[in-house]
């Protein structure tokens, strides 16, 4: 399936979305959804625009609450936690937002220091510097440490955004459309980074994408959200071995047209 150098523990489920439903008024976005993320894996979530992919990862990180069902993350039921417990759990979840913005008035170094200083108040100056430099090195951009975000390319900004998430050493990474708006070469670069992060930081990740090349390159397993449910699950080839008119256009558009 994958030739990456990673160990996936299929006996250890780090996220379990259990029979979850979520509506906004009359709009039933998720209908009794079940999903598991195993320790060490990259799980790709596919689905048309507006099917509820971002809602799903907002539910997982406790930014939204389900109408019914439970969301278990690292052994805790997210929808039963109080604010303080939720905040502590969120420190273990790295959330790379769909439009992850850096603070434009801060240098790369200051952007990376920000989550550290805010969440780990007991670090010394030297420890902060070491952490920032190490994580920047990890994403291959140590040379940009004193630059402003406006001086970076879109791909570099994306990498810095991921570095800013990694700096808290999360167990889980949630990537929302990590390659959106990037050129094909930069996409390959970001996909490589997602795999590097999986190997180097031993993270378990959910990657939301419309980009099937990205899905193929990073995903150990894939699920497709169709009409509020994960009707198709498996490897890339398994997902697309169908004539389902809701599924085929994804493949045709990416690889044939
Ligand atoms: N806080 C909210 N209040 C009301 N409706 C919402 C809210 N969040 C999401 N929705 C609706 O839920 C549906 C799913 O939204 P979501 O952002 O999860 O889509 P998506 O699958 O991530 O789409 P895209 O691929 O375009 O990012 C949309 O119709 C959206 O308008
Ligand atoms: Mg979205």
């Amino acid at each position: 399936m994958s030739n990456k150098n990673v160990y996936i523990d299929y006996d250890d489920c780090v996220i379990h979305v259990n029979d979850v439903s979520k509506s906004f008024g009359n709009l039933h976005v998720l209908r009794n959804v079940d999903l598991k993320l195993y320790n060490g894996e990259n799980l790709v979530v596919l689905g048309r625009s507006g099917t509820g992919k971002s809602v799903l990862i907002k539910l997982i990180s406790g930014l939204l609450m389900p109408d019914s069902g439970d969301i278990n993350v690292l052994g805790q039921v997210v929808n039963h936690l109080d604010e303080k417990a939720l905040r502590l759990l969120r420190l273990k979840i790295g959330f790379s937002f769909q439009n992850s913005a850096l603070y434009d008035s801060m240098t790369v170094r200051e952007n990376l220091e920000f989550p550290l200083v805010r969440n780990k108040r007991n670090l010394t100056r030297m420890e902060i510097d070491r952490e920032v430099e190490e994580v920047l090195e990890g994403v291959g951009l140590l040379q940009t440490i004193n630059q402003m975000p406006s001086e970076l390319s879109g791909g570099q900004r994306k990498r810095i955004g991921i570095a800013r998430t990694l700096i808290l050493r999360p167990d889980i990474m949630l990537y929302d459309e990590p390659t959106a708006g990037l050129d094909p070469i930069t996409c390959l670069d970001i996909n490589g980074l997602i795999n590097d992060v999986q190997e180097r930081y031993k993270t378990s990740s959910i990657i939301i994408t419309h980009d099937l090349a990205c899905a193929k390159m990073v995903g150990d397993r894939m699920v497709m959200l169709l009409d509020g449910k994960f009707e198709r699950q498996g490897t890339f080839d398994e997902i697309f071995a169908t004539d389902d008119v809701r599924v085929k256009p994804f493949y045709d558009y990416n690889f044939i047209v």
Side-chain angles (χ1 to χ4, degrees):
M1 197 156 59
S2 146
N3 54 8
K4 292 182 289 188
N5 181 24
V6 292
Y7 173 70
I8 300 169
D9 184 354
Y10 288 104
D11 291 324
D12 182 9
C13 174
V14 293
I15 295 179
H16 185 187
V17 174
N18 189 5
D19 203 16
V20 162
S21 296
K22 180 71 183 171
S23 302
F24 298 102
N26 290 331
L27 182 69
H28 302 294
V29 180
L30 301 177
R31 301 163 187 254
N32 305 100
V33 160
D34 286 298
L35 184 71
K36 287 181 175 174
L37 176 71
Y38 297 104
N39 194 349
E41 81 171 332
N42 276 352
L43 174 70
V44 166
V45 174
L46 300 166
R48 283 187 63 183
S49 198
T51 48
K53 304 180 302 298
S54 295
V55 165
L56 175 79
I57 60 174
K58 285 178 190 160
L59 288 166
I60 288 169
S61 49
L63 295 171
L64 286 174
M65 287 294 144
D67 299 333
S68 61
D70 281 326
I71 298 160
N72 191 306
V73 176
L74 299 168
Q76 291 183 281
V77 182
V78 177
N79 45 303
H80 291 169
L81 296 179
D82 60 27
E83 268 304 311
K84 182 165 181 241
L86 193 53
R87 198 161 39 80
L88 290 175
L89 180 62
R90 278 212 198 106
L91 292 176
K92 299 179 186 167
I93 306 175
F95 202 141
S96 167
F97 286 95
Q98 202 158 355
N99 304 306
S100 74
L102 301 173
Y103 299 107
D104 286 332
S105 59
M106 295 183 187
T107 64
V108 166
R109 180 196 289 280
E110 288 161 348
N111 263 284
L112 292 181
E113 281 178 8
F114 192 76
L116 265 188
V117 173
R118 202 164 76 167
N119 295 298
K120 299 194 174 173
R121 295 172 198 273
N122 51 352
L123 292 181
T124 65
R125 182 73 247 169
M126 249 175 72
E127 286 167 332
I128 292 173
D129 285 348
R130 198 178 327 121
E131 291 286 307
V132 168
E133 283 164 25
E134 193 183 322
V135 84
L136 265 181
E137 184 135 46
V139 302
L141 286 178
L142 186 53
Q143 76 280 10
T144 67
I145 191 161
N146 294 317
Q147 286 183 254
M148 303 302 288
S150 61
E151 298 168 338
L152 304 175
S153 72
Q156 286 176 323
R157 275 202 293 275
K158 198 90 211 176
R159 280 181 173 255
I160 301 294
I162 292 172
R164 192 172 59 178
T165 305
L166 284 173
I167 201 152
L168 293 174
R169 304 296 156 122
D171 296 314
I172 291 171
M173 285 290 282
L174 304 174
Y175 299 93
D176 199 349
E177 310 260 4
T179 59
L182 302 174
D183 71 78
I185 303 216
T186 310
C187 287
L188 287 176
D189 196 46
I190 296 295
N191 296 340
L193 177 60
I194 292 171
N195 285 339
D196 283 351
V197 166
Q198 181 190 22
E199 280 191 40
R200 186 192 270 247
Y201 295 94
K202 311 271 181 275
T203 47
S204 317
S205 305
I206 293 180
I207 302 106
I208 292 177
T209 189
H210 294 287
D211 169 0
L212 293 198
C214 170
K216 202 166 186 178
M217 193 167 156
V218 305
D220 301 303
R221 194 161 61 90
M222 277 163 231
V223 293
M224 186 178 264
L225 201 46
L226 294 165
D227 300 326
K229 283 187 176 281
F230 289 111
E231 284 187 30
R232 300 201 67 77
Q233 315 208 11
T235 61
F236 186 89
D237 292 337
E238 284 162 358
I239 291 258
F240 291 103
T242 174
D243 288 328
D244 190 328
V245 291
R246 298 168 304 169
V247 179
K248 260 175 70 61
F250 274 86
Y251 187 89
D252 294 349
Y253 183 76
N254 273 264
F255 295 114
I256 296 174
V257 178

